[in-house]
Amino acid sequence: MSAPPQATTVGVIGAGPAGLALARLLRLAGVDCVLLERRDRAYVEQRQRAGTLEPATIDLLRRIGAGERLDREALFLDGIELRFAGRGHFVDFAALADGARLAVYPQTKIVQDLVALQTQDGPPLLFEADVHTVSDLDGSRPTLGFRMAGRDHTLRCQYIVACDGAYGIGRRTVLAAGGHLQEHTYPYAWYGILADVAPSTDTLLYARSDHGFALHSMRSPTVSRLYFQVPADHVPEQWADEAIWDELARRLAAGTGWKLERGPITAKSVIGMSSELLAPMRVGRMLLAGDAAHVMPPTGAKGLNLAVADANALCQALLVSEPADRERALDQYAQQRVLQARRVERFSRFMTRTMHIAPEDDAETAARRLGVLERIAGSPETAQLFAREYVGRSRAEAA
Ligand SMILES: Cc1cc2nc3c(=O)[nH]c(=O)nc-3n(C[C@H](O)[C@H](O)[C@H](O)COP(=O)(O)OP(=O)(O)OC[C@H]3O[C@@H](n4cnc5c(N)ncnc54)[C@H](O)[C@@H]3O)c2cc1C
């Protein structure tokens, strides 16, 4: 294996959606960059996570050359269904959000598509390269120290971008420099399954039932992804397959008499629910993007979309040619993306609380939450506010 590069313009930590999108954008703009990922390629490409893409994310993936398989294989949705109190209500994005369409396309495939582009003609992407130090962030040559194939290496950069997720060195460095992390942990988690069965719905189905929340999503015409709310301390082994299907069936029906198709379960996991907002998103010559800076509860399907939007905004700031202007643009990036993340967090919190039943919720709280859903179903103005926030339109306009 040839020796890894020792210098670059932008050193990016982490080959998740944020790091891969940023590296591709920089490559298309002719900026030299090196992407370091501590896991191996197979692990990164198989990690099950997000699946719902906003229109702006779809557009960006197409623009950077990662749209071909997406357009062929994604399921495009014109709305979502909210089900509660024995009825279903379709939130019609065509009517309420300028015809916006969501794509259901798994994060695994997005990562595979971007890694393939990167290995074809992109800047170097080094797998199993674990970044252990960042130094000289206030100097002229910030440097990454990383371990690869049993040896330590250094990469001198003009800028470092930490796209290394919620537990990475980027976040630790910001906190050590006096940054502030605002956290909220919900008293419930999601029990998630993948099943080899055709989806029983042709849209995303969010259900609030007397027994708790459930979500029916999909990964392809033959693979369903389903979740239901469980107490925060649950472990996957606690549930037998038939009990999972029974629970999903009664919650997703939410009193409507609707029928859920069952099939072999191929994966089970429990996903914690929290929100985390870190500020600032910049320390000297190091900037943060994606989950490194903010984590959202999955209810609003926002994490991946926010990560890719960060990459897009950050690339634009890095491309400013005059150094003093570029520094200002990077400061602005850091400030504006924190504001965007706060907005998304408010929406994700609203949606999470409205759809779930918390242990401390009394009858009055439950009635208030159902009242919110009734308003979305009954008032075109409320439905429009909800739809535009869900598909990311209001955020794009406020930016
Ligand atoms: C179950 C679940 C469902 C979700 N559903 C949705 C959804 O429907 N829609 C949505 O928009 N979002 C969703 N999300 C959130 C979404 O998956 C994340 O927001 C997204 O992965 C963030 O991308 P990222 O690139 O910022 O970070 P990550 O994907 O976490 O990538 C960070 C990368 O950095 C690497 N790394 C870490 N430390 C180092 C180091 N020291 N050196 C080198 N590399 C390092 C990691 O190995 C990793 O590959 C979901 C999340 C979960 C868990």
Side-chain angles (χ1 to χ4, degrees):
M1 189 176 48
S2 57
Q6 294 178 335
T8 187
T9 306
V10 183
V12 180
I13 316 171
L20 286 162
L22 177 64
R24 185 72 191 153
L25 283 159
L26 290 170
R27 154 83 177 81
L28 294 175
V31 177
D32 184 40
C33 133
V34 173
L35 180 49
L36 304 171
E37 166 58 50
R38 82 165 160 198
R39 300 287 193 168
D40 64 32
R41 180 171 177 172
Y43 182 93
V44 169
E45 289 188 338
Q46 294 311 322
R47 200 165 30 197
Q48 284 295 334
R49 285 178 143 199
T52 308
L53 309 185
E54 295 176 351
T57 307
I58 303 167
D59 288 348
L60 183 126
L61 290 172
R62 286 181 180 142
R63 179 154 61 87
I64 62 179
E68 195 195 317
R69 182 160 67 144
L70 187 155
D71 283 324
R72 215 175 42 243
E73 296 184 11
L75 304 170
F76 287 91
L77 306 180
D78 294 320
I80 58 171
E81 182 176 346
L82 299 177
R83 202 172 275 179
F84 57 98
R87 59 189 276 221
H89 175 75
F90 184 66
V91 181
D92 182 353
F93 299 147
L96 297 164
D98 316 321
R101 297 180 88 202
L102 299 176
V104 176
Y105 187 67
Q107 183 166 330
T108 43
K109 290 188 181 177
I110 296 175
V111 169
Q112 288 159 17
D113 296 345
L114 289 171
V115 167
L117 285 169
Q118 190 83 13
T119 47
Q120 242 170 48
D121 67 349
L125 163 53
L126 309 181
F127 286 107
E128 298 179 75
D130 191 358
V131 175
H132 50 67
T133 44
V134 290
S135 54
D136 199 25
L137 297 182
D138 292 320
S140 58
R141 280 315 246 178
T143 301
L144 290 171
F146 64 99
R147 192 158 182 83
M148 199 173 88
R151 298 183 67 172
D152 284 317
H153 306 270
T154 54
L155 178 67
R156 295 195 322 145
C157 315
Q158 199 176 337
Y159 291 100
I160 292 172
V161 182
C163 301
D164 52 349
Y167 306 102
I169 193 170
R171 183 179 283 202
R172 287 199 298 279
T173 305
V174 171
L175 289 173
H180 175 69
L181 183 66
Q182 182 188 322
E183 283 179 280
H184 178 77
T185 304
Y186 293 87
Y188 34 76
W190 278 11
Y191 196 110
I193 62 163
L194 266 180
D196 282 338
V197 58
S200 303
T201 164
D202 54 11
T203 190
L204 293 182
L205 166 54
Y206 286 84
R208 179 188 162 107
S209 80
D210 294 342
H211 307 282
F213 168 75
L215 168 64
H216 189 330
S217 176
M218 57 285 284
R219 286 294 178 259
S220 75
T222 56
V223 177
S224 297
R225 180 84 168 128
L226 301 107
Y227 307 91
F228 63 101
Q229 169 189 351
V230 290
D233 55 359
H234 258 45
V235 290
E237 295 71 33
Q238 271 173 266
W239 287 78
D241 290 8
E242 274 317 298
I244 291 173
W245 285 117
D246 290 346
E247 196 58 31
L248 282 165
R250 70 172 176 163
R251 292 195 195 183
L252 287 167
T256 58
W258 176 87
K259 189 163 176 310
L260 175 66
E261 294 302 329
R262 303 179 180 209
I265 296 175
T266 56
K268 301 176 181 177
S269 58
V270 172
I271 300 135
M273 305 266 293
S274 64
S275 57
E276 300 168 18
L277 292 170
L278 180 67
M281 285 174 66
R282 172 174 197 184
V283 173
R285 293 280 187 99
M286 186 188 77
L287 296 114
L288 264 52
D291 276 17
H294 33 66
V295 172
M296 302 294 152
T299 328
K302 291 285 166 267
L304 181 147
N305 293 293
L306 206 51
V308 169
D310 282 355
N312 190 31
L314 180 51
C315 179
Q316 285 168 28
L318 286 166
L319 290 182
V320 174
S321 53
E322 208 280 310
D325 291 343
R326 183 167 59 240
E327 287 301 307
R328 270 193 293 278
L330 290 169
D331 278 342
Q332 238 172 25
Y333 160 83
Q335 284 160 12
Q336 284 176 357
R337 295 312 296 170
V338 167
L339 296 179
Q340 286 285 18
R342 285 200 187 127
R343 179 180 185 132
V344 170
E345 197 276 329
R346 276 197 301 277
F347 176 73
S348 299
R349 180 164 18 116
F350 156 80
M351 204 171 158
T352 301
R353 289 193 170 150
T354 303
M355 298 307 302
H356 291 72
I357 297 178
E360 68 273 15
D361 285 359
D362 54 16
E364 197 185 318
T365 310
R368 209 171 47 243
R369 308 267 195 248
L370 282 172
V372 171
L373 291 169
E374 297 285 359
R375 276 201 298 285
I376 294 172
S379 148
E381 292 78 23
T382 310
Q384 189 175 46
L385 286 174
F386 175 79
R388 294 178 75 80
E389 206 65 53
Y390 188 91
V391 302
R393 278 277 194 268
S394 331
R395 228 178 326 128
E397 281 157 13

